[in-house]
Amino acid sequence: MLFGRKQKNPIKIPDKGVVEWKYTTCGYCSTGCSIEVGLNDRGEAVTSRGVGGAHVNQGKLCLKGIFEHELFRSAGRGRVPLIRERRHEAFQETDWDTALDRVAGEIQRIQAKHGRDAFAIVSTGQIMTEEFYTLGKLARGVIGTNNYDGNTTLCMSSAVSGYKRSFGSDGPPGCYDDFEHTECLLAIGSNLPEQHPIIYWRLRQALEKRRFPVIVVDPRVTMFAQMADIHLPISPGTDVVLLNALAHVILDEGLEDRAYMEAHTSDIEAFEAEVAKWDPDTAAPVCGIDADTIRNVARTYARAGAAMTIWTMGINQSTHGSDGVVGINNLNLITGNIGKPGGTSLSITGQANAMGTREWSSCSGLPGYRQLENEEHRKEIAAFWGIDPEFFPKKRGLFQTDIFPAIETGQIKGLWIIATNPMTSMTNTARIRRILEKLDFLVVQDAYEDVETNEYSHVYLPAAVWAEKQGCFTNTERRVNLVRNVQPPYADSKPDFWIFNQMAKRFENGRKIRFPETTEGAFEEMKQLSKGRMLDYSGMSYEKIERNRGLQWPCREDDEVGAPRLYTDGKFQHPDGRAKLIPLPWTDNNERPDDEYPFWLNSGRVVEHFHTRTRTGKIGNLNKFSPTPYMEMNPDAARRLGVEHGKYARLVSRRGDAVVLVQLTQRVPPDMVFVPFHFHECVNRVSLGLLDPHSRQPAFKQCAVRVEAIEDQTAAAVRNRAARSY
Ligand code: SF4
């Protein structure tokens, strides 16, 4: 195929010898792009392309999707189960029965000696929805531990908590099509072009047809901030103050949609009383945005016919994460911007199937947004699974961020980690290392045996990756899409679905509960359990999902396609059918820069990498663009400290230190440094991670550090210090 000038130096795309294209869905971020993987005549995956007719991505893919077929044979994949008596001994290869027997035996031993909750499970946002449903069945109905959570606590639990508090249920109410209808977009703590490039492309498409104001709130001059009409460089951790001040101006100037508020919300008076305290002149010195700009933004948002807010980790990963989400919902409720085209609160999710775990994993409750605290829900699920409802706990157990401290105190003795990597992803790496070393038993289930956390395990279970198996993902806009099986599992790795089913057989309740043999069988159970609920899958089938390139829920039995928006009738999931307007008092509760540690440390993502680089660090065409931990630093601040561009410097906090390559840039203010979070033994050696009181999500983005120049740039001098000294 030839592109470019036909006569001179045309660009040649080599023929990859594709003989068949197979449909699937991208397994990285939550955008939910439809992908076709090209196979050659030996059945090898040789290329990937976007699916032209897919609603989400319309033929486009970002860098990660383009090279996703390289995952199947990337370095570090686990071939066979591994086992060892003591941590840090050499692993021995073993067969599946031996490995699964050992894990089941250790779970039973620990539970018999210390109680059912002494064994914990921490999973992920990256396996299929049917696998989440099956894992939930195993954890809640068979093993029976209440200390079971997903790594989504590190990214989306503030959004979940905020939606539940405001609307009575989780579930993002909007969709990508809202860009086509909105008259104003407010984006808080989201660097869309790098984190969700295809959602950003959808926004650009809408903007090319029709201009509307884009307002970006971010302490850093991100790529998104650079294209915005208005950039608000907010002080870290003060989003709630800004949101209260915006609401103050709207109510003070009579710009609210009073009819909507009175018809569809509750607790108006208490909300108005709190907001009355946050006039722009009071808020400005706290949040760092001048009063006139706050007024201007509030008027622009309220006067737009339809206005929407999107957000990502800048809101969620904060000690005020849940309140930040509620503040966004408050703003949209008082302006009547929920459930209408172009008017919404839309959390942009992180992992490919973070939504699937929220819906079906039973981490925070029971399947299909049911709650452990609700007796009817417990009875319903117990009857469906065929067990005694008393087997279920009556309230949810520990979040992931509380499970690790509970290991430290000896309350939890054993842990099963599934497709997540706390040695890199959790704050305060030195503490996590000590915690993992304290466990009586650790099993790691992952597609990669070289994942850092596996260094501390007793048993390693090699899992199939992405399209080596079949099942569904739900994307940011509630669209369920199908991951078709493109390749057989690598070596003797197995789908997570198979592993959960085999584990269940080794427990008493696992022989009572039916575990379907196929993911499609599990999907049929989910359809039955969702029928008539807000989260209704009953009108879906694998064939219909693939034909439509994804279906949004609710999709009821007779629906041709799903519904693009929730709450279009103004009826919410609280018992009175109303949304709650919630007052948000604000306290300054972060570690802040001081004389000893004078910089804010901010962290985030780069376009080439995903999470802890377990996958993208192995893909040459991604890793070569971003191979090294680096730090963005303002040139004025660097000059004062003798820190130079392109040299290594040391980042130090009260928790630890990390060596980073310096990139001088005006993107960060003089009192802040920014480090991508993907790299092992880097930003989380220094991060603090205070927890949000509602969502238990860590404040990854707010702590204090100092920067030290390193004079001697030789390899010996630019090492991290020994982590155990902290
Ligand atoms: Fe995959 Fe997300 Fe990129 Fe789409 S935007 S190709 S879903 S990583």
Side-chain angles (χ1 to χ4, degrees):
M1 201 179 292
L2 296 178
F3 287 101
R5 284 173 294 178
K6 293 228 166 26
Q7 306 303 325
K8 199 176 165 196
N9 300 331
I11 300 164
K12 286 186 187 165
I13 306 268
D15 183 354
K16 302 262 180 69
V18 173
V19 296
E20 184 186 4
W21 292 96
K22 282 198 175 173
Y23 180 85
T24 191
T25 302
C26 179
Y28 286 115
C29 88
S30 68
T31 303
C33 297
S34 294
I35 289 192
E36 282 175 335
V37 177
L39 306 177
N40 66 16
D41 56 5
R42 293 186 299 281
E44 296 160 343
V46 288
T47 189
S48 310
R49 69 180 184 191
V51 176
H55 191 84
V56 166
N57 54 315
Q58 297 159 28
K60 298 279 188 297
L61 293 176
C62 82
L63 197 61
K64 290 191 278 288
I66 287 170
F67 295 110
E68 201 158 0
H69 60 280
E70 294 185 11
L71 271 185
F72 296 121
R73 295 294 175 266
S74 52
R77 291 291 308 274
R79 290 182 310 104
V80 292
L82 303 174
I83 201 162
R84 59 187 167 191
E85 274 312 306
R86 276 177 290 279
R87 174 181 301 121
H88 304 312
E89 279 178 354
F91 272 124
Q92 305 295 318
E93 293 189 355
T94 190
D95 57 80
W96 275 99
D97 273 339
T98 308
L100 291 168
D101 285 346
R102 167 90 185 274
V103 175
E106 290 287 347
I107 295 172
Q108 285 155 359
R109 181 187 64 77
I110 287 169
Q111 290 190 316
K113 190 165 173 199
H114 304 284
R116 282 194 348 212
D117 294 342
F119 189 85
I121 302 173
V122 171
S123 98
T124 179
Q126 295 179 40
I127 58 177
M128 316 292 179
T129 309
E130 297 83 345
E131 295 176 328
F132 281 130
Y133 171 66
T134 307
L135 174 61
K137 221 184 219 185
L138 178 65
R140 293 271 177 229
V142 175
I143 294 174
T145 176
N146 198 16
N147 292 326
Y148 159 52
D149 196 21
N151 68 10
T152 39
T153 291
L154 307 186
C155 67
M156 292 316 293
S157 65
S158 292
V160 173
S161 160
Y163 280 140
K164 283 182 178 169
R165 290 165 70 200
S166 297
F167 304 146
S169 172
D170 186 19
C175 59
Y176 306 154
D177 270 355
D178 283 322
F179 295 141
E180 303 287 336
H181 303 282
T182 197
E183 307 282 345
C184 179
L185 175 74
L186 177 63
I188 313 185
S190 166
N191 187 12
L192 208 59
E194 290 205 66
Q195 293 162 4
H196 299 87
I198 300 300
I199 302 180
Y200 178 67
W201 171 74
R202 291 284 303 266
L203 169 64
R204 294 302 306 217
Q205 265 200 326
L207 282 166
E208 273 171 27
K209 290 184 213 149
R210 193 176 49 84
R211 285 296 302 164
F212 52 87
V214 174
I215 303 158
V216 170
V217 182
D218 202 300
R220 206 162 60 105
V221 191
T222 58
M223 210 183 279
F224 202 7
Q226 288 170 44
M227 66 74 73
D229 298 292
I230 304 175
H231 171 217
L232 309 184
I234 193 167
S235 300
T238 63
D239 311 279
V240 169
V241 173
L242 174 66
L243 289 159
N244 276 343
L246 293 174
H248 177 100
V249 175
I250 290 167
L251 294 174
D252 192 47
E253 299 188 4
L255 300 174
E256 76 275 18
D257 185 339
R258 186 60 62 172
Y260 186 91
M261 286 169 70
E262 284 173 1
H264 303 299
T265 69
S266 62
D267 304 341
I268 297 173
E269 278 176 24
F271 169 71
E272 286 183 328
E274 179 61 34
V275 159
K277 299 173 193 164
W278 291 101
D279 64 89
D281 292 311
T282 304
V286 183
C287 69
I289 310 299
D290 71 88
D292 278 345
T293 303
I294 294 174
R295 288 188 191 96
N296 182 24
V297 168
R299 289 168 191 152
T300 304
Y301 199 85
R303 287 178 179 149
M308 64 187 284
T309 310
I310 61 171
W311 75 93
T312 318
M313 298 310 144
I315 284 281
N316 291 345
Q317 291 180 336
S318 159
T319 47
H320 303 93
S322 175
D323 279 357
V325 175
V326 168
I328 289 168
N329 295 338
N330 285 342
L331 179 67
N332 288 318
L333 287 167
I334 64 170
T335 52
N337 277 308
I338 294 292
K340 73 180 189 189
T344 194
S345 294
L346 183 62
S347 54
I348 308 286
T349 317
Q351 306 178 67
N353 205 19
M355 281 295 294
T357 184
R358 283 155 67 170
E359 297 163 8
W360 291 103
S361 72
S362 307
C363 276
S364 65
L366 290 166
Y369 287 158
R370 288 177 177 85
Q371 293 159 5
L372 283 162
E373 294 77 5
N374 183 318
E375 189 182 355
E376 281 311 306
H377 290 177
R378 293 197 303 271
K379 282 186 178 160
E380 222 177 325
I381 295 300
F384 192 83
W385 288 350
I387 57 169
D388 181 351
E390 287 304 309
F391 192 75
F392 294 138
K394 296 187 175 55
K395 61 176 189 172
R396 78 164 288 174
L398 298 175
F399 288 71
Q400 181 191 351
T401 42
D402 294 311
I403 285 175
F404 285 89
I407 297 168
E408 203 167 35
T409 58
Q411 183 187 337
I412 290 174
K413 305 286 184 188
L415 179 63
W416 184 358
I417 291 182
I418 299 155
T420 187
N421 187 16
M423 269 306 294
T424 299
S425 61
M426 288 284 285
T427 54
N428 199 342
T429 310
R431 183 179 178 200
I432 297 297
R433 177 182 289 109
R434 283 195 303 271
I435 287 173
L436 292 179
E437 287 185 334
K438 193 158 191 264
L439 282 164
D440 287 359
F441 179 72
L442 173 65
V443 49
V444 167
Q445 176 172 326
D446 201 286
Y448 291 86
E449 67 179 34
D450 62 357
V451 64
E452 288 87 11
T453 305
N454 200 26
E455 201 181 316
Y456 303 88
S457 77
H458 298 87
V459 176
Y460 164 72
L461 304 177
V465 80
W466 181 46
E468 289 175 346
K469 48 189 185 171
Q470 178 161 278
C472 292
F473 288 158
T474 309
N475 79 350
T476 283
E477 54 168 4
R478 292 171 285 102
R479 189 179 298 275
V480 177
N481 210 342
L482 195 61
V483 180
R484 282 280 187 208
N485 191 334
V486 168
Q487 294 274 273
Y490 173 70
D492 198 23
S493 65
K494 300 284 186 194
D496 298 272
F497 185 77
W498 182 91
I499 299 171
F500 301 145
N501 274 359
Q502 297 305 311
M503 189 64 77
K505 290 178 184 164
R506 288 160 165 82
F507 290 80
E508 193 188 329
N509 268 10
R511 293 185 284 273
K512 285 188 204 157
I513 299 180
R514 197 177 83 84
F515 278 79
E517 289 294 316
T518 63
T519 55
E520 209 159 356
F523 191 78
E524 287 304 316
E525 286 196 4
M526 290 157 47
K527 281 168 63 177
Q528 288 178 50
L529 285 172
S530 70
K531 199 170 172 182
R533 299 181 65 77
M534 182 175 83
L535 168 77
D536 196 330
Y537 273 40
S538 61
M540 298 185 195
S541 68
Y542 277 12
E543 181 278 322
K544 190 169 162 187
I545 293 170
E546 183 173 345
R547 180 161 34 90
N548 285 280
R549 276 58 175 120
L551 288 168
Q552 285 170 288
W553 63 256
C555 181
R556 302 189 173 88
E557 214 160 13
D558 299 323
D559 290 347
E560 252 322 289
V561 291
R565 295 176 188 87
L566 302 179
Y567 311 125
T568 49
D569 56 1
K571 288 207 179 74
F572 292 87
Q573 294 287 309
H574 284 301
D576 63 359
R578 289 171 177 265
K580 280 193 200 315
L581 284 168
I582 301 173
L584 300 171
W586 183 80
T587 30
D588 187 359
N589 55 9
N590 278 302
E591 182 184 56
R592 297 181 67 83
D594 55 19
D595 288 348
E596 205 181 343
Y597 298 96
F599 294 95
W600 282 109
L601 171 63
N602 187 359
S603 66
R605 288 143 183 79
V606 297
V607 69
E608 297 86 5
H609 285 305
F610 190 76
H611 276 213
T612 63
R613 295 168 68 252
T614 313
R615 286 178 282 173
T616 52
K618 314 283 175 38
I619 307 294
N621 279 317
L622 299 178
N623 201 43
K624 72 183 178 192
F625 295 114
S626 190
T628 308
Y630 69 91
M631 169 179 71
E632 289 183 0
M633 187 175 191
N634 186 285
D636 294 337
R639 200 174 306 116
R640 284 196 298 275
L641 295 170
V643 170
E644 293 177 48
H645 184 80
K647 296 269 176 76
Y648 290 100
R650 190 177 301 279
L651 200 56
V652 186
S653 77
R654 292 180 176 88
R655 274 74 55 195
D657 76 312
V659 170
V660 283
L661 197 64
V662 176
Q663 187 181 94
L664 297 185
T665 170
Q666 301 283 355
R667 278 159 61 115
V668 283
D671 65 345
M672 178 181 291
V673 293
F674 170 87
V675 181
F677 94 107
H678 309 282
F679 296 89
H680 182 55
E681 296 285 356
C682 187
V683 73
N684 280 331
R685 287 171 61 90
V686 290
S687 59
L688 171 57
L690 295 173
L691 300 180
D692 178 282
H694 298 277
S695 68
R696 313 302 288 161
Q697 183 155 351
F700 280 100
K701 292 168 180 287
Q702 294 125 31
C703 73
V705 294
R706 69 168 180 264
V707 177
E708 295 174 356
I710 302 176
E711 274 186 31
D712 179 359
Q713 292 279 311
T714 58
V718 298
R719 281 202 198 117
N720 290 331
R721 291 180 187 131
R724 279 160 219 272
S725 63
Y726 291 95

